[in-house]
């Protein structure tokens, strides 16, 4: 059994369901750059263009989850849990008008997890 690199809390899944009803299929991205780049950002799938240096690290609640190659290199030894918190972020992510924002909570993998992680995918 391969361990997931990224997962979502139940609270985050409820927000994803709400956003999916309004916007259709969704995608998540973490760039690691400036302007909230290390925050998970949610976009309509048909409006997001995967970059040549983005890596798909998994999916959360039926949504592809991408991370920039640089951020992945920095965080490849950590598991990421996506949650929500009250307060407006300063990003273009879809949840911002709801007065909440997605957040990433990271922890180091256990040795057992790190030995059997889901594979990453590079764009074609």
């Amino acid at each position: 059994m391969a361990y997931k690199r990224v997962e979502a809390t139940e609270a985050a899944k409820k927000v994803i369901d709400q956003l999916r009803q309004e916007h259709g299929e969704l995608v998540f991205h973490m760039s690691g750059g400036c302007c909230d780049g290390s925050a998970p950002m949610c976009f309509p799938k048909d409006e997001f263009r995967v970059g040549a240096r983005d890596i798909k690290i998994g999916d959360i609640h039926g949504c592809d989850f991408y991370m920039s190659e640089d951020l992945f290199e920095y965080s490849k030894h950590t598991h990421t849990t996506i949650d929500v918190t009250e307060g407006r972020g300063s990003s273009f992510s879809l949840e911002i008008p709801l007065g909440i924002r997605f957040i990433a909570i990271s922890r180091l993998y256990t040795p057992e997890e790190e030995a059997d992680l889901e594979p990453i995918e590079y764009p074609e």
Side-chain angles (χ1 to χ4, degrees), residues 30-52:
M30 287 177 64
S31 71
C34 68
C35 306
D36 273 347
S38 59
M41 309 248 304
C42 180
F43 303 102
K45 189 170 186 171
D46 61 353
E47 293 181 21
F48 181 78
R49 186 172 170 190
V50 177

Side-chain angles (χ1 to χ4, degrees), residues 74-114:
Y74 177 77
S75 62
K76 65 185 174 186
H77 300 290
T78 60
H79 177 272
T80 301
T81 300
I82 303 303
D83 201 357
V84 291
T85 190
E86 291 183 11
R88 292 181 57 96
S90 59
S91 72
F92 301 105
S93 191
L94 291 175
E95 79 284 0
I96 298 304
L98 302 175
I100 57 175
R101 65 185 187 271
F102 288 110
I103 59 171
I105 303 165
S106 299
R107 66 164 175 82
L108 290 173
Y109 292 119
T110 66
E112 179 184 53
E113 289 171 325
E114 195 151 25

